[in-house]
Amino acid sequence: MEESPLSRAPSRGGVNFLNVARTYIPNTKVECHYTLPPGTMPSASDWIGIFKVEAACVRDYHTFVWSSVPESTTDGSPIHTSVQFQASYLPKPGAQLYQFRYVNRQGQVCGQSPP
């Protein structure tokens, strides 16, 4: 992970987060669904982080999990997958807004969810 300011890939053709809720039930795990665009080669070094919306650096995450890497992919088609965040690692309820961000092995944000 780089310490440089957050570099974001263009949203067009980037990772899309699916079914992101406006709020989550406290003390329960959160499942994060996302789609990688066609031609993307996921890596075991890619990760999904939960960030405060105003976070400006990839090191400013609240928590993260390694992305899942499908056993097989079909070239030219999107990859739909998900990860789970355990309840004990999630932010405490409050007014602060958070979002999911997909960070690749080079430390670039390749997609982010709505807050």
Side-chain angles (χ1 to χ4, degrees):
M1 292 182 265
E2 296 179 6
E3 289 195 51
S4 62
L6 191 63
S7 57
R8 297 182 186 169
S11 59
R12 185 176 193 185
V15 175
N16 289 314
F17 289 91
L18 309 169
N19 304 320
V20 177
R22 292 182 63 93
T23 61
Y24 290 93
I25 300 169
N27 303 315
T28 61
K29 64 185 175 187
V30 170
E31 193 160 347
C32 172
H33 294 266
Y34 58 97
T35 301
L36 301 170
T40 301
M41 295 300 297
S43 165
S45 298
D46 296 351
W47 52 281
I48 309 294
I50 295 178
F51 290 81
K52 290 181 180 179
V53 171
E54 66 273 5
C57 178
V58 294
R59 288 202 179 267
D60 291 340
Y61 60 88
H62 177 82
T63 190
F64 78 96
V65 294
W66 298 108
S67 66
S68 58
V69 178
E71 291 182 22
S72 63
T73 61
T74 305
D75 289 340
S77 63
I79 300 168
H80 302 284
T81 190
S82 65
V83 294
Q84 286 189 350
F85 290 89
Q86 296 305 314
S88 60
Y89 293 104
L90 296 174
K92 300 296 180 217
Q96 177 65 52
L97 293 177
Y98 292 87
Q99 65 186 166
F100 299 114
R101 294 182 188 170
Y102 186 100
V103 182
N104 69 14
R105 61 189 163 275
Q106 288 87 23
Q108 295 178 321
V109 174
C110 297
Q112 60 189 23
S113 72

